[in-house]
Amino acid sequence: MKIGVRAHDYGKMEIEALAETLRLEGFEAAQLALPKAFLGIDTYEDITLWHLERIRRAFEENEVEIPVFGCYMDIGNPDDEVRKRAVDTLKKCLAYSKETGAGMVGTETAYPHLSKEEKKIWYPFMLDSIQRVAEEAVKLDVKLAIEPVYWHPLDSIEAALDVIEAVGDEEHLRLIFDPSNLLEFPDSTDQESYWKQWLSAIGSYIDVMHVKDFKMDDKGNYCSALLGKGVIRYQEISRWIHANKPNLYLLREEMQPRFAKEDLAFLRAI
C-alpha cells in the first residue's frame, strides 16, 4: 500500500514547499486540488503550463506520487450552464493531469445533499456528463475516477455498476472508494457485511481509497474524528485490501497536521 494525504489539509503553500513538507511528514502520495493547495492558483482558470511543470518536478524530486488530480465538479446538476462548466473544467483537468504525471482526475457527482427524489432527477444528467468526460479521457489516454457518495446521484453499488457498464471502458473510468461517504446509517449498519458487499461488487474498479473517520454530534451533524476514534470499522476493508489490492493508494482526508504521526501509524497498521 502507498500512504498519502489530501494535500490541501496542510493549507495553501508554494508548490515546492508543499511537496517538501509532505515528504518530510512521511507521505508517499498526495491528492492535489490545485486551487486549494497552491499559492498563486485560486481557480482552475489560473493554471498554466509553468505551474504544471513546477508541480511535476517538485513532486518527483521529493518522491511524492500524485495518484489523484482533484477536480470535484457539480456534474449532475440539471442546470445546463452549471453542468457545461463542470464538464469543460474536468476535460481541461484531464490534460493538466497528464502534464503533472497524475494517475487520474477525481470527482464526485454533485455538490449539494440531495433527496431521494432529487437524486433520480440528477442521475441522467450525471451519466451524460460522465460519458462526455470519459470520451475525452479516452482521447488523451488518461483516467477519470468517480467517487460514490450516498447523498449524490452516484449513491449505490447498482448506480456505480450501471455507470461503468454504460461507459464501457474500465481502463479509463475508475472509482475512488470512501467508506465515510457511503455510511448513511452508522448506528444500524452491519459494517462487516456492508463493506463486503461494496468491495466484492466494485473492488476491481477501485484504484484509490480515501481514509477518514467521523462521529455524529447530539444534533446528528457530521464531525470529523481521528482515525480509529470514530464510527468507521476498517477491519473488513483492511482484510480485503491485503487479499486483493495490496498496492492500493490510501489517502488520508480531513487530516489535522498535528496528528500526522498518529494518522500514519493507523494507516500503516491497515
Side-chain angles (χ1 to χ4, degrees):
M1 283 167 277
K2 295 185 178 180
I3 295 173
V5 67
R6 186 174 66 179
H8 64 265
D9 287 343
Y10 279 87
K12 293 187 76 162
M13 297 185 188
E14 292 291 347
I15 291 167
E16 293 77 12
L18 183 52
E20 182 180 26
T21 295
L22 299 182
R23 174 179 62 82
L24 293 173
E25 290 282 80
F27 291 105
E28 303 168 276
Q31 175 164 324
L32 300 181
L34 273 60
K36 296 181 179 181
F38 299 121
L39 294 172
I41 302 176
D42 296 319
T43 69
Y44 287 102
E45 287 71 31
D46 294 335
I47 298 170
T48 66
L49 287 175
W50 176 69
H51 291 124
L52 299 174
E53 174 57 22
R54 282 177 62 196
I55 291 166
R56 184 197 61 76
R57 185 172 61 249
F59 280 76
E60 282 184 358
E61 289 175 353
N62 284 280
E63 298 183 333
V64 177
E65 296 183 41
I66 309 171
V68 181
F69 188 112
C71 181
Y72 281 45
M73 292 284 112
D74 199 12
I75 61 174
N77 198 304
D79 184 296
D80 290 344
E81 185 175 337
V82 171
R83 197 170 64 258
K84 181 181 185 303
R85 185 164 59 249
V87 168
D88 290 345
T89 302
L90 270 171
K91 286 182 176 180
K92 284 193 294 185
C93 285
L94 290 172
Y96 295 159
S97 74
K98 196 165 188 176
E99 295 293 330
T100 62
M104 62 186 65
V105 173
T107 185
E108 292 175 355
T109 58
Y111 282 168
H113 282 239
L114 302 174
S115 68
K116 185 176 180 179
E117 292 72 23
E118 287 171 327
K119 286 189 285 186
K120 290 180 180 178
I121 294 169
W122 286 46
Y123 184 93
F125 297 108
M126 170 205 72
L127 178 57
D128 178 70
S129 295
I130 291 172
Q131 289 174 315
R132 286 187 286 130
V133 179
E135 289 171 358
E136 186 73 8
V138 172
K139 290 178 186 176
L140 297 173
D141 193 22
V142 295
K143 295 178 181 178
L144 170 68
I146 50 177
E147 183 177 336
V149 179
Y150 76 78
W151 59 87
H152 287 168
L154 194 72
D155 64 345
S156 65
I157 293 171
E158 294 75 21
L161 291 175
D162 286 347
V163 169
I164 289 167
E165 182 179 0
V167 172
D169 189 338
E170 62 183 83
E171 180 181 350
H172 294 97
L173 181 66
R174 307 300 295 167
L175 294 178
I176 296 172
F177 186 72
D178 187 332
S180 292
N181 287 350
L182 296 170
L183 190 61
E184 184 174 6
F185 305 108
D187 292 336
S188 58
T189 299
D190 177 349
Q191 290 192 42
E192 181 176 357
S193 174
Y194 189 58
W195 303 135
K196 279 182 178 177
Q197 291 173 30
W198 268 98
L199 294 169
S200 64
I202 65 155
S204 62
Y205 306 107
I206 297 171
D207 286 350
V208 169
M209 185 172 293
H210 285 164
V211 183
K212 59 179 183 274
D213 213 338
F214 70 95
K215 298 178 181 179
M216 306 302 290
D217 66 17
D218 295 339
K219 296 181 179 179
N221 297 314
Y222 176 101
C223 299
S224 180
L226 296 179
L227 297 180
K229 304 297 184 183
V231 302
I232 300 294
R233 303 291 173 256
Y234 277 101
Q235 293 87 341
E236 177 57 35
I237 294 169
S238 177
R239 283 193 291 269
W240 178 85
I241 292 171
H242 282 282
N244 296 279
K245 293 211 168 181
N247 295 320
L248 192 70
Y249 288 98
L250 301 180
L251 303 183
R252 171 64 162 126
E253 283 197 311
E254 300 180 355
M255 192 201 67
Q256 299 178 54
R258 68 181 184 276
F259 295 117
K261 287 185 173 60
E262 291 89 334
D263 282 346
L264 281 163
F266 183 92
L267 290 164
R268 286 168 182 151
I270 287 180

